[in-house]
Amino acid sequence: MKQKLIVIGAGMASGRVLEHLVEQAPEAYDITLFNGEPRGNYNRIMLSPVLSGDKTYDEIVTHDDAWYADHGITCRFGERVAGIDRAARTVTAPGGEVLSYDKLLLGTGSNPFIIPLPGHDLQGVIAYRDLEDTERMMTMDAGKRVVVIGGGLLGLEAAAGMAARGAEVTVVHIMGHLMERQLDESAGFLLRRALEDKGITVRCQANSKQILGQDGHVRALQLDDGTELPCDLLVMAVGIRPNVALGADAGLAVGRGIHVDDQMVTSDPDVLAVGECVEHDGAVFGLVAPLYDQAKVAAATLLGQQAAFVQKELSTKLKVTGCDLFSAGDFAEGEGREDIVFRDPARGVYRRLVIEKDVIVGAVMYGDTADSNWFFGLIRDKTDIAEMRDTVIFGPAFQGGAPLDPMAAVAALPRDAEICGCNGVCKGQIEDAILGGATDLGGVRAVTKASGSCGTCTGLVEQVLAVTLGDEFVIPAAQGICGCCDMTHEDVRRMIKSQRLTSMPAVWQACDWKTPDGCHVCRPALNYYLLADWPLEYADDPQSRFINERKHANIQKDGTFSVVPRMWGGITTPDELRAIADAADKYAVPTVKVTGGQRIDLLGVKGEDLPAIWKDLNDAGMVSGYAYSKGLRTVKTCVGTDHCRFGTQDSTGLGIKLEKILHGAWTPHKLKLAVSGCPRNCAEATCKDIGVVCVDSGFQVSIGGAAGMDVKETELLISVPTEQEAIDVIRAVTQLYRENARYLHRIYKWMALVGLDWIKERIEDPTERAALIERFEVSQSIYRHDPWAEHVTKQADTYQPLANLSLEAAE
Amino acid sequence: MSTWIDVSALDAIPRRGARVVKTALGCVAVFRTAEDSVHALDNRCPHKGGPLAEGIVHGASVTCPLHNWVFSLETGLAQGADEGRVATYPARVEGGRVLLDAAFLRGRVAAE
């Protein structure tokens, strides 16, 4: 005899239970299906494609009227069950009709969570939950303004859908980055950028205060800081809560959700529950995969078969066109956890694997998620990845084959091959150091000094170590900032920004420094990072600067200094030249030389004479030339249109303007510019950090040149028609360099890491360019000054000896 | 017998910094650490004669400004792979004043 089964709720979970039942045992139950919504089962997770217009409602229906009819299911749609009497095993329909059951299945789903902000009951404030909400949002076409509260999966899908219809959408998110439960900061940032590219405004760390209305209809959302975001529709997508009311009223055991065991049976053996309304082993569910697992188990239980629901690792994908995003497992940092991170900023690709004991426990991917299932499999199956650790981040295509051995080339080098050019160390010396007991980079460096200067040969030295030591040596994934800290420069910078570290002790603490106050390697770097990131908050620390910057002059081999007054754009006057000559006479300067950057260098000035010679030069109208600084040095120029028959623009004038705008700007390394008036390039602009070549049509701005330890030609950043735009681009790219490059990396080294295209994108985007310029000017409001004048008036005495005991000793 | 002489206020030397004291036999660098201890060393790196007073002070060490040799302020010994030693002299702080031992400073050439 057929038993009676009543199902309450036609959601994705209960729909799947019905499928299993009618497939396996169509004769087992007489089924009645209640649903509050006036329709049957449809694929709720496809509502976002419906919203964005990629699909229609008909396409996402999973069971139509014919299906229910074919399987003899009685449908009572649009009827909300009034109550359950478990003792009598009956269900009361809204009209008062009482139906008896042998088995009851609850699939009541969840309710969207509405923040009880003042004004939440205004018209036009909705959740994003069902087809009605979706249809409501679909009326928000071009020109309508929408605010979405909630930067999670649901909120972003809603936002993207409405933006695709032409609405002006702002997402307000309380956390520091989007989808913080599924994504780390980096991926959150990329996602934000992609959404902003779609025209969606994103406000993170934004706290909603109240919803403002007019004539009973929503008018705007007001944030804590007073900002008002006008809107015609306000969508709250801040989370869901299991809908337990019916179950609780019936006296079932309820926690956050309706309690179920591994067989999906509630505290009443005749009542089962599946989907978002349940709580299993402390967990509640919002994603579809576990719901389907539950459905399978519930069907088996109803058919008297053995089955058990097991919670599994979950993965998330965002269904927004153009935002390829995947997250699975646990990506939180923790003890014993290691990261493998792959970034390709130019392509907007980011991958991060979190590994614990050679097993991947979490993965976050953005931009290219083609391999996500493979990674998910590794997480789910707890695969040991020790064997493929070096290449696992590149995905399945790179596993299994025989990768080229990068060590072969180093192994083949002869013993007398030079490895470290700075210190003249050859391979044989490094091998000897290793045989003598050095087992790591630090050990080799201590004995041979190899890689101890500019560091460009670090990789080679590591490879010699690897070849010589074999398996005993593992090339470190990333080089720490120095012996004081294992974190890389990039990680330290990220910490400074994300944790708002505004002092050196805060950095030492947060980044686990092993020394009490750093060393000569890390302190200047930290000092730079802090003043670059927090120009207004951070006080520059002279004791963490090299002597050249601390004393605003270049130290020479005999302990004397060289003094270089600024000559804007290379222009000087007879008066200035006379003042320089007088100063040279007065302070017995042994050498007067023209520098490579078209300035005059007074070499051999005694340390205690510095304030006096500066004062004389200041009095003649000259200021410090910063020839000592990791900052703007000079802007070299040719004569351009003033005198030259080929000159196309006023290159000297532009050089002067640039030098006045940029002077005093601290940068990761020295910054040299040049402006040439025509492609003959007399100012040699194409081997400078930033070069401008004036042409008939305007100005070619190129970056990444060098003529130091490496010789590099610049690459074209942008061609612009006006002088003002050239100046803007240069301010913006200088700021981008300041904010992102590693200390002591010149632009060409930074460019090799991030790619010219990445820099171009930032500079070409008008919003980013403007923001960079604004931050540049904020910093320059503090740092664009003359340190000579300051030291002459405030601390000239510190240049004198502390005491003079020579007389005392002579007595 | 020690003859302590008062050379300056401690505050005249920056924390993690140094100033020089001139003597008839050359300059002595007086260092002040982050913890306010003072150390007096010859102001001359044994490598290429770099003025140690211009170096970066970290922990109880100073890095020479010319070629980054690192010396212990307590022992004057070069750290790491480098070899060499800088002469050190007694120095102490008393009542916010820096005291050096004049007898030691005078005798240093003879002692070498």
Side-chain angles (χ1 to χ4, degrees), chain A residues 163-175:
Chain A
R165 297 186 165 272
E168 253 179 62
V169 183
T170 302
V171 173
V172 174
H173 192 46
I174 196 165
M175 304 302 289

Side-chain angles (χ1 to χ4, degrees), chain A residues 706-776:
Chain A
M709 287 205 283
D710 289 301
V711 180
K712 302 263 179 202
E713 190 183 345
T714 53
E715 290 182 55
L716 184 66
L717 175 67
I718 195 168
S719 291
V720 291
T722 65
E723 186 181 88
Q724 185 55 47
E725 203 176 338
I727 290 170
D728 285 351
V729 162
I730 289 168
R731 285 193 292 175
V733 78
T734 302
Q735 183 65 12
L736 194 67
Y737 168 54
R738 297 210 293 198
E739 290 177 0
N740 291 283
R742 177 189 286 209
Y743 189 62
L744 298 187
H745 269 188
R746 289 185 67 179
I747 287 182
Y748 74 94
K749 282 196 181 174
W750 169 58
M751 200 161 99
L753 291 178
V754 303
L756 178 61
D757 285 345
W758 182 84
I759 298 172
K760 271 186 185 168
E761 272 174 40
R762 309 280 88 69
I763 300 304
E764 282 167 4
D765 179 338
T767 320
E768 280 210 49
R769 187 193 294 182
L772 286 164
I773 292 172
E774 192 185 330
R775 292 199 293 277
F776 175 82

Side-chain angles (χ1 to χ4, degrees), chain A residues 446 449 508 517-520 523-524 543 545 547 550-551 555 557 608 797-798 800-806 808, chain B residues 5 7-8 14-17 19-24 34 51 54-59 63 65-66 81-82 105-106:
Chain A
K449 289 203 173 278
W508 295 333
D517 53 5
C519 70
H520 64 276
R523 283 235 310 273
Q543 299 313 130
R545 285 186 177 271
I547 180 62
R550 197 180 325 130
K551 288 209 164 162
I555 195 163
K557 60 187 259 186
E608 55 252 53
D797 55 331
T798 62
Q800 304 306 315
L802 190 61
N804 189 342
L805 302 182
S806 45
E808 194 271 348
Chain B
I5 47 172
V7 290
S8 82
R15 274 211 181 96
R16 297 191 191 98
R19 296 279 298 275
V20 296
V21 171
K22 268 195 175 169
T23 79
E54 316 280 26
I56 287 180
V57 177
H58 45 102
T63 300
L66 293 194
D82 299 318
L105 292 178
R106 255 184 247 119

